[in-house]
């Protein structure tokens, strides 16, 4: 061996070596036990005393067999035979402590050889496994508790790694998604998310990893889940993080909103959040009240003007003058009504903010799909230059809810709803297309008027409310002839100011 | 007096400006006009009926259609033109059931009003 690769061992005088060994032996946590060939204990360190409870005076000179439980005698005999043959053994077993208590130990047993290589006894290094055993038992207990919780709660639990791959899939999750756990573990979590949500889902996790911020963790989100058979259902996600040294995983609790047990309650909650039903009715009521209010001065105005024209034709200018004054009063009255309406809308403008259209649409679509029994595929494409729009999110979600719900209800069997967002000039154009039967010609022409409907139980208020909302945003709503089949609705909402100058 | 009433057009509307404007327009066109601020006010005058009635639907106390129903059940028949800002299918259907001559959306056209009045003079 070359002298360059190894350092020369430092010289330790032979009488010093025992001091080193002595201190090591005295201070070790492990128990050091030496026995001669007859099995008589001849060394016993403080570590051994801590594990087995015997003081050196109580144990030195006694046979090592006092530490061996009766059912381990055969194992010990076999061990001794192998050590006698020169082998070093490592084994986990049990030993008896002072007073007869059994304790789990990990042992390293080796023959002690003299200068001629003859065995003169055995050395035993014993490590107390009591603590490890307790930790393991506690872990097993916790795991059992966790498993029973997971089997009991309605939520499905999945654990995903920071690479987006599924690590764990609870029994509830298996039933919910229709996948046995072995088919999804190791696969990307996006297989569980319906198409239009996939990109975003992955983006969430990526963003989380980059910034370390809990963008999703504290907020439950509603997205469309996808089962093995391709059908979709609304699910609510609650995401948490497991952060251990070297391990970063996410726990995702999934609540199936289509499950009848939760559905009614959750529907009620979500509806009150979005004020769907009440606001629809309020708006319908408001529109009808306003129509009446404005019609009154217009009626008077028309009557005064028509009479005045007749008077003027007959050359009675003086009589006409008085009527024209009254007409002007009625015009002012109409103006005041329009102004108060404008004030009302302006108050509403404080609610308008630049909102993420994808998120807005995803939330509305998840809600609109609640309770739709048949299999529906939802497709969402958002052009990169139309990601944001200045909207009252709740109101625009009402419009989306109406259009998507209409589409979903129009299709009695399997079908598809495609939502596309693209930029047209200064506006974001959102189109909602379905593969249903489409619009009848008669209905098509009067679509956005109140009380026009093709639905057996419809009120015919929905689309007129949609128009009111969209027009209050400065946009337009219309139905286009669908390219192939089904209905195609489009509406526009304004892009954020300054966004128009941007080019992608 | 009887002849005068027989040749008058009745107008019922809770809005004074609307009522006044109808009176002006119809008078300029050569009609005699009787105006009423409410259905109840009109019911107090059923002993002397106008030749025809222009009736607002949306009024407090008694709506236009409720008034017509009351008149019909009392056996009172006269031509009626219902005007409303919101001619919903329900209103139109009910009007047809009651045998009302016509339903007009507010603001009504002068031609529609005058031809109605002229037809029943």
């Amino acid at each position: 061996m070359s002298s360059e690769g190894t350092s020369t061992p430092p010289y330790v005088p032979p009488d010093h070596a025992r001091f080193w060994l002595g201190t090591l032996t005295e201070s070790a946590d492990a128990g050091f036990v030496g026995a001669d060939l007859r099995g008589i204990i001849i060394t016993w360190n403080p570590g051994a005393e801590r594990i087995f409870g015997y003081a050196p005076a109580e144990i030195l000179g006694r046979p090592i067999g006092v530490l061996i439980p009766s059912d381990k005698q055969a194992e010990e005999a076999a061990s001794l035979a192998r050590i006698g043959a020169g082998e070093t053994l490592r084994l986990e077993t049990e030993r008896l402590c002072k007073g007869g208590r059994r304790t789990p130990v990990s042992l390293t047993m080796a023959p002690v050889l003299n200068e001629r290589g003859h065995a003169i006894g055995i050395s035993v290094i014993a490590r107390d496994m009591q603590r490890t055993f307790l930790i393991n038992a506690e872990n097993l207990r916790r795991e059992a508790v966790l498993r029973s919780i997971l089997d009991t709660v309605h939520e499905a639990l999945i654990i995903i790694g920071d690479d987006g791959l599924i690590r764990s899939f609870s029994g509830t999750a298996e039933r919910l998604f229709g996948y046995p756990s072995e088919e999804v573990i190791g696969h990307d979590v996006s297989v569980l998310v319906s198409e239009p949500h996939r990109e975003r889902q992955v983006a969430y996790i990526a963003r989380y990893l980059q910034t370390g911020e809990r963008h999703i963790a504290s907020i439950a989100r509603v997205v469309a889940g996808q089962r093995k058979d391709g059908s979709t259902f609304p699910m609510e996600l609650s995401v948490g993080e497991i952060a251990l040294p070297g391990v970063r995983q996410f726990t995702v609790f999934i609540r199936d909103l289509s499950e009848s047990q939760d559905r009614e309650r959750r529907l009620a909650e979500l509806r009150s959040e979005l004020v769907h039903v009440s606001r629809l009715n309020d708006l319908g009521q408001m529109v009808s009240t306003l129509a009446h209010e404005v019609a009154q001065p217009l009626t008077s105005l028309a009557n005064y003007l028509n009479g005045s024209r007749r008077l003027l034709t007959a050359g009675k200018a003086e009589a006409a003058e008085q009527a024209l004054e009254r007409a002007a009063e009625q015009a002012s009255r109409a103006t005041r009504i329009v102004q108060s309406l404008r004030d009302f809308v302006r108050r509403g403008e404080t609610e308008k903010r630049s909102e993420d259209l994808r998120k807005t649409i995803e939330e509305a679509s998840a809600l609109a799909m609640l309770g739709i029994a048949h299999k529906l595929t939802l497709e969402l494409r958002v052009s990169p230059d139309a990601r944001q729009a200045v909207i009252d999110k709740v109101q625009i979600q009402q419009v989306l809810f109406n259009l998507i719900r209409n589409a979903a209800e129009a299709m009695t069997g399997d079908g598809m709803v495609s939502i596309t967002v693209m930029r047209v000039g200064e506006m974001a154009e959102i189109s909602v297309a379905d593969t249903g039967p489409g619009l009848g010609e008669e209905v098509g022409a009067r679509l956005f008027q109140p009380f026009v409907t093709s639905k057996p139980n419809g009120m015919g208020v929905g689309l007129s409310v949609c128009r009111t909302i969209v027009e209050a945003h400065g946009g337009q709503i219309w139905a286009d002839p669908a390219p192939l089949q089904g209905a195609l609705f489009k509406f526009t909402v304004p892009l954020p100011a300054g966004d128009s100058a941007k080019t992608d | 007096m009887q002849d005068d009433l027989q040749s008058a057009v009745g107008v019922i509307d809770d809005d004074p400006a609307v009522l006044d404007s109808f009176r002006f327009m119809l008078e300029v066109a050569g009609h005699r006009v009787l105006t009423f601020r409410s259905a109840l006010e009109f019911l107090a005058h059923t002993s002397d009926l106008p030749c025809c009635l222009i009736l607002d639907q949306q009024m407090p106390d008694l709506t236009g259609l409720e008034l017509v129903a009351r008149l019909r059940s009392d056996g009172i028949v006269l031509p009626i033109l219902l005007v409303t800002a919101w001619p919903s299918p329900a209103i139109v259907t009910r009007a047809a059931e009651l045998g009302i001559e016509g339903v007009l959306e507010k603001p009504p056209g002068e031609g529609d009003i005058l031809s109605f009045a002229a037809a029943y003079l």
Side-chain angles (χ1 to χ4, degrees):
Chain A
M1 201 180 266
S2 152
S3 62
E4 284 163 40
T6 53
S7 53
T8 313
Y11 172 74
V12 178
D15 58 334
H16 282 193
R18 62 191 168 88
F19 295 129
W20 293 104
L21 280 175
T23 302
L24 287 170
T25 305
E26 289 298 303
S27 62
D29 283 335
F32 291 178
V33 179
D36 64 15
L37 288 174
R38 295 167 301 158
I40 300 299
I41 295 171
I42 55 171
T43 62
W44 187 261
N45 77 338
E49 182 176 345
R50 272 195 299 277
I51 296 169
F52 299 108
Y54 293 104
E58 295 174 298
I59 196 76
L60 289 174
R62 293 182 65 186
I64 201 163
V66 301
L67 301 175
I68 319 278
S70 55
D71 57 331
K72 300 287 183 189
Q73 298 284 358
E75 176 191 89
E76 178 71 1
S79 300
L80 288 175
R82 288 169 64 185
I83 296 161
E87 211 178 319
T88 296
L89 288 187
R90 286 180 183 81
L91 75 155
E92 286 186 2
T93 181
E94 285 181 320
R95 287 293 178 260
L96 286 178
C97 302
K98 183 180 174 184
R101 183 176 61 86
R102 292 166 76 111
T103 190
V105 286
S106 165
L107 302 179
T108 304
M109 303 165 81
V112 181
L113 306 177
N114 65 9
E115 68 276 15
R116 291 193 300 279
H118 293 149
I120 56 169
I122 62 165
S123 79
V124 179
I125 301 172
R127 282 164 297 268
D128 190 357
M129 298 301 282
Q130 189 69 40
R131 217 177 108 75
T132 313
F133 265 59
L134 287 176
I135 290 169
N136 284 346
E138 177 64 12
N139 284 346
L140 287 172
R141 192 187 63 80
R142 283 187 189 173
E143 208 176 301
V145 169
L146 187 62
R147 204 176 301 122
S148 90
I149 290 171
L150 290 181
D151 287 346
T152 314
V153 295
H154 289 293
E155 279 93 344
L157 172 72
I158 61 173
I159 296 175
I160 56 177
D162 52 10
D163 48 9
L165 302 184
I166 298 168
R167 300 288 158 81
S168 167
F169 204 66
S170 75
T172 312
E174 289 184 326
R175 290 191 290 280
L176 181 56
F177 289 96
Y179 286 106
S181 58
E182 61 267 23
E183 277 186 33
V184 286
I185 285 175
H187 286 79
D188 197 281
V189 68
S190 64
V191 301
L192 305 177
V193 181
S194 178
E195 195 64 67
H197 301 277
R198 276 186 191 168
E199 188 189 315
R200 185 170 187 86
Q201 203 64 32
V202 174
Y204 266 138
I205 294 169
R207 186 168 170 200
Y208 183 93
L209 291 174
Q210 276 166 18
T211 62
E213 288 169 36
R214 305 188 108 205
H215 291 289
I216 29 172
S218 53
I219 309 160
R221 277 181 41 81
V222 178
V223 301
Q226 186 162 318
R227 300 190 186 89
K228 188 183 180 183
D229 63 8
S231 60
T232 58
F233 64 97
M235 61 184 187
E236 187 185 65
L237 307 181
S238 310
V239 183
E241 188 193 358
I242 306 169
L244 290 172
V247 181
R248 192 135 183 235
Q249 297 185 335
F250 300 90
T251 51
V252 184
F253 275 96
I254 297 168
R255 175 185 289 207
D256 179 3
L257 293 183
S258 65
E259 217 167 59
S260 56
Q261 211 167 0
D262 277 335
R263 189 173 67 199
E264 289 310 315
R265 190 181 57 81
R266 282 298 298 157
L267 256 182
E269 282 177 21
L270 287 165
R271 276 199 178 132
S272 70
E273 275 170 29
L274 295 177
V275 216
H276 272 121
V277 172
S278 65
R279 256 174 116 172
L280 275 182
N281 287 340
D282 288 353
L283 270 168
Q285 191 63 49
M286 195 186 80
V287 169
S288 116
T289 304
L290 275 167
H292 183 256
E293 284 301 312
V294 177
Q296 294 296 92
L298 288 180
T299 301
S300 303
L301 190 54
N303 286 340
Y304 286 130
L305 289 176
N306 286 321
S308 299
R309 187 184 55 208
R310 208 175 282 273
L311 286 175
L312 288 170
T313 311
K316 297 174 181 168
E318 263 180 59
E321 202 180 315
Q322 203 189 354
L324 288 171
E325 266 174 36
R326 291 185 203 165
E329 276 169 30
Q330 293 304 306
S332 305
R333 180 180 164 193
T335 306
R336 283 195 299 276
I337 294 167
V338 172
Q339 266 168 352
S340 65
L341 176 62
R342 211 178 281 142
D343 288 344
F344 179 84
V345 174
R346 202 171 290 138
R347 272 204 302 280
E349 275 172 6
T350 56
E351 306 270 327
K352 282 180 202 153
R353 279 195 292 267
S354 183
E355 301 276 1
D356 184 302
L357 282 174
R358 176 177 286 276
K359 190 171 167 228
T360 304
I361 295 167
E362 279 174 2
E363 286 174 4
S365 60
L367 193 69
M369 278 171 55
L370 289 182
I372 298 293
H374 47 276
K375 190 178 145 187
L376 273 188
T377 312
L378 217 86
E379 190 184 71
L380 172 58
R381 287 190 300 267
V382 180
S383 169
D385 57 0
R387 287 206 184 99
Q388 303 269 327
V390 181
I391 53 171
D392 178 328
K393 188 172 158 189
V394 170
Q395 287 194 348
I396 291 301
Q397 283 183 330
Q398 280 184 38
V399 174
L400 287 161
F401 177 89
N402 273 321
L403 294 181
I404 298 166
R405 190 81 187 176
N406 281 350
E409 285 177 349
M411 290 178 284
T412 46
D414 294 357
M416 183 194 264
V417 180
S418 307
I419 304 173
T420 312
V421 182
M422 56 188 285
R423 182 199 186 118
V424 177
E426 312 272 297
M427 309 291 278
E429 184 186 277
I430 300 164
S431 55
V432 179
D434 66 51
T435 54
L439 303 162
E441 252 174 59
E442 195 191 327
V443 173
R446 299 175 59 214
L447 209 52
F448 294 97
Q449 289 177 22
F451 309 115
V452 174
T453 183
S454 61
K455 283 193 252 173
N457 300 315
M459 290 244 308
V461 183
L463 285 175
S464 78
V465 171
C466 287
R467 188 175 67 175
T468 306
I469 291 172
V470 171
E471 287 177 356
H473 280 76
Q476 285 182 298
I477 183 166
W478 69 97
D480 261 2
L484 296 169
Q485 57 154 347
L488 172 58
F489 284 92
K490 291 185 175 180
F491 69 96
T492 55
V493 286
L495 293 164
D499 209 48
S500 53
K502 234 185 279 169
T503 48
D504 260 11
Chain B
M1 191 63 195
Q2 186 74 10
D3 284 350
D4 286 344
L5 278 176
Q6 285 293 321
S7 64
V9 177
V11 183
I12 309 177
D13 198 306
D14 62 311
D15 188 321
V18 171
L19 217 47
D20 184 66
S21 71
F22 267 119
R23 173 188 288 281
F24 170 76
M25 191 266 279
L26 286 163
E27 282 180 353
V28 166
H31 294 286
R32 287 184 46 76
V33 181
L34 290 171
T35 58
F36 305 90
R37 285 287 304 275
S38 72
L40 296 176
E41 196 181 314
F42 177 78
L43 284 170
H45 288 79
T46 47
S47 52
D48 301 313
L49 288 172
C51 67
C52 60
L53 192 59
I54 295 168
L55 175 62
D56 183 31
Q57 160 61 13
Q58 193 172 332
M59 293 186 293
D61 300 334
L62 216 56
T63 68
L65 286 172
E66 283 165 356
L67 170 65
V68 179
R70 176 85 68 92
L71 293 174
R72 297 295 189 245
S73 71
D74 290 352
I76 298 169
V77 177
L78 79 167
I80 293 170
L81 188 63
L82 189 76
V83 287
T84 172
W86 199 262
S88 71
I91 288 175
V92 175
T93 308
R94 182 70 181 132
E97 280 169 8
L98 291 167
I100 289 175
E101 275 65 20
V103 178
L104 285 183
E105 192 172 343
K106 276 187 175 181
E110 184 196 30
D112 290 330
I113 296 289
L114 292 181
S115 59
F116 170 76
Y120 297 103
L121 263 177

